[in-house]
Amino acid sequence: MVEEVQKHSVHTLVFRSLKRTHDMFITDQGIPPAKDDKGEILKRRVKTIDEYKMVKDLPKEGQRKQQQQSVIKPYETNQWQQNQDTLIQGTHPYPGGPGVQLTDGTAMQTDPSYNASVEMALYEQNRQIDAQLGSSVQDIRGSDQSKALVTIGQQQALVPKKAQTMAKPVWHPPWKLYRVISGHLGWVRCVAVEPGNQWFATGANDRMIKIWDLASGTLKLSLTGHISAVRGVVVSPRQPYLFSCGEDKQVKCWDLEYNKTIKHYHGHLSAVYAIDLHPTIDVLVTCGRDGTARVWDMRTKACIHTLTGHNNTVADIRCQAAEPQVITGSHDSTIRLWDLAAGKSRVTLTNHKKSVRALTLHPKHYTFASASADNIKEWKFPDGNFIQNLPGHNAIVNALTVNSDGVLVSGADNGSMHFWDWKTGYNFQRLQALAQPGSIDSEAGIFALQYDHSGSRLITAEADKTVKIYKEDDSATEETHPINWRPDIIKKKKY
């Protein structure tokens, strides 16, 4: 009769294996491996070269003056003699000034005219040094912090440090308010301009989407269907469709030929805060309070990807044709650049210290900007390399937009608007939005900003239930409104 084999759980087998391994090596525990003398010598040599290469061969103080007196010729001497016992290293290119003695670790220079261009720069920076005695590299480095020791090939030389320069900003005409549009019964939360630049749409806390004529500011249409505040609108450039999202978790597609809803995109678990369209393919992206961004097939209503990774509300989302195709900003203080094909995050930017509430892409350059309560930052695609910091808008910045002329505008919760030069980060204008008569002081916030497609008109969606339109002051010139540019007092933090 065959005896049955006792079966053990995986847990028991694993611990039995661990015990056998422990018993096997218990005798060697605590015994360090034998030292390899050759390895120790090699390790010290490598460490010495790596950490002390620049200073290990410097002459001692007692030897320095002796070498200077025996090697360096006086200023008036016109005959350069080769001394085979003492090598002249790094001398002046031609008899006309003292040589500068470098270290034994540098390459020998017996021809005074060798590498003349580098040494000439050195000489011009040290004309004030005593003509009778040459100074060592260490002396010059300690005496003048405006020079830097650089290595060119195997030669070392002192060259002047390049002064930090800042490009002067381009002059932009100031912006002024020229139209106030009333019609909504709640905070206006979003705005979008249609591709033909004839009209624009706004969404508000009154659950309405209103379409306005851009030229005259008159109301053309009101769309009802959302049961809570409308937080995002966008108009398709290829179809007669308008897409909207709101705090009712709904994402809607409106047919503007029939002025009614034709599609719903279901999937978000909480309020949807932002929406955008892909510029080249029929893809819709949304984000919201559930901490996710979702990619939708515009035609089939299917959710292609759910982009997870943020651990707080995703406040804004942007699409572009080039990689990365999706960019999100979140209240967890991070920005993520997404791989749309894989549905995964490819880069996470953690420079902001507070909630990232707004993003905008430059229409011409391969760059974008993000806004937070701490700072506005500019980044470079595709890897999110940091470009510069735009400090000074000390408020909760809710909205950003930029036109092709490089005028970046930021709008904040307190109704303030700052206008920036994109290239230099210079803040050339500040405006305080005037609240509608009858509004309380707290209703001065700006929730959305959008340029029209010409870049000459700026539309703002505000907390006083109005939509305001700004334009450039045509009468302004650089003489009447000069740039108050002071590079000596502009201080930028970069981190």
Side-chain angles (χ1 to χ4, degrees), residues 2-312:
V2 180
E3 185 178 354
E4 291 187 3
V5 178
Q6 184 179 0
K7 295 181 180 180
H8 295 283
S9 65
V10 176
H11 188 270
T12 303
L13 293 174
V14 168
F15 274 90
R16 282 187 179 181
S17 176
L18 286 174
K19 187 177 184 304
R20 283 196 296 269
T21 305
H22 180 267
D23 294 341
M24 184 182 301
F25 294 103
I26 189 64
T27 57
D28 297 331
Q29 186 178 7
I31 301 176
K35 285 190 176 182
D36 183 4
D37 295 335
K38 291 184 178 180
E40 286 292 319
I41 295 172
L42 181 61
K43 174 184 173 183
R44 291 181 182 179
R45 285 179 180 175
V46 170
K47 189 170 183 179
T48 302
I49 294 174
D50 182 51
E51 297 187 7
Y52 305 107
K53 179 181 178 182
M54 299 293 290
V55 297
K56 71 184 182 69
D57 294 324
L58 286 177
K60 296 180 180 179
E61 289 296 329
Q63 299 173 351
R64 183 178 299 167
K65 290 184 179 179
Q66 181 181 358
Q67 290 178 357
Q68 290 170 351
Q69 292 173 357
S70 62
V71 176
I72 306 300
K73 288 294 181 181
Y75 189 85
E76 294 83 2
T77 303
N78 290 328
Q79 297 293 329
W80 290 90
Q81 299 177 0
Q82 296 288 343
N83 187 344
Q84 298 300 327
D85 297 328
T86 308
L87 303 179
I88 299 176
Q89 300 173 350
T91 57
H92 188 268
Y94 194 76
V100 175
Q101 178 141 351
L102 300 181
T103 67
D104 296 334
T106 59
M108 180 181 71
Q109 180 178 329
T110 57
D111 181 7
S113 63
Y114 178 74
N115 207 2
S117 59
V118 175
E119 296 299 328
M120 182 62 76
L122 167 65
Y123 173 65
E124 290 297 328
Q125 289 297 315
N126 296 281
R127 295 179 68 95
Q128 304 300 325
I129 299 176
D130 185 6
Q132 298 301 323
L133 292 176
S135 300
S136 70
V137 170
Q138 196 68 18
D139 292 337
I140 297 174
R141 185 195 300 172
S143 62
D144 191 348
Q145 297 298 324
S146 66
K147 306 175 188 64
L149 181 66
V150 298
T151 303
I152 302 175
Q154 292 184 342
Q155 291 286 337
Q156 287 182 328
L158 284 171
V159 297
K161 290 182 180 178
K162 186 178 179 182
Q164 293 185 354
T165 58
M166 184 185 299
K168 187 174 181 179
V170 178
W171 182 81
H172 298 286
W175 291 72
K176 63 179 182 180
L177 176 67
Y178 86 99
R179 175 166 291 143
V180 178
I181 301 173
S182 299
H184 279 290
L185 301 178
W187 291 358
V188 187
R189 303 304 298 252
C190 52
V191 59
V193 181
E194 64 98 13
N197 217 35
Q198 300 295 318
W199 51 267
F200 66 95
T202 56
N205 279 14
D206 59 3
R207 311 184 298 279
M208 303 276 285
I209 299 170
K210 291 183 180 287
I211 294 176
W212 313 84
D213 184 75
L214 185 57
S216 63
T218 57
L219 180 64
K220 300 179 69 173
L221 183 67
S222 294
L223 300 175
T224 59
H226 280 282
I227 58 174
S228 190
V230 181
R231 295 295 294 264
V233 290
V234 63
V235 185
S236 172
R238 296 186 300 278
Q239 300 96 357
Y241 294 159
L242 180 145
F243 297 87
S244 65
C245 64
E247 294 180 4
D248 51 8
K249 312 178 193 176
Q250 296 186 37
V251 180
K252 293 176 178 287
C253 173
W254 304 80
D255 188 332
L256 296 176
E257 292 179 345
Y258 298 95
N259 298 331
K260 65 179 184 180
T261 306
I262 58 171
K263 289 187 181 75
H264 291 83
Y265 302 88
H266 297 287
H268 275 287
L269 304 177
S270 190
V272 189
Y273 281 176
I275 188 170
D276 201 12
L277 284 173
H278 196 284
T280 56
I281 58 178
D282 290 340
V283 162
L284 177 72
V285 293
T286 56
C287 64
R289 201 165 59 199
D290 56 6
T292 66
R294 294 179 184 264
V295 183
W296 310 89
D297 186 326
M298 190 186 297
R299 295 161 294 184
T300 65
K301 303 182 290 184
C303 181
I304 303 170
H305 292 303
T306 300
L307 307 178
T308 58
H310 290 292
N311 53 31
N312 207 326

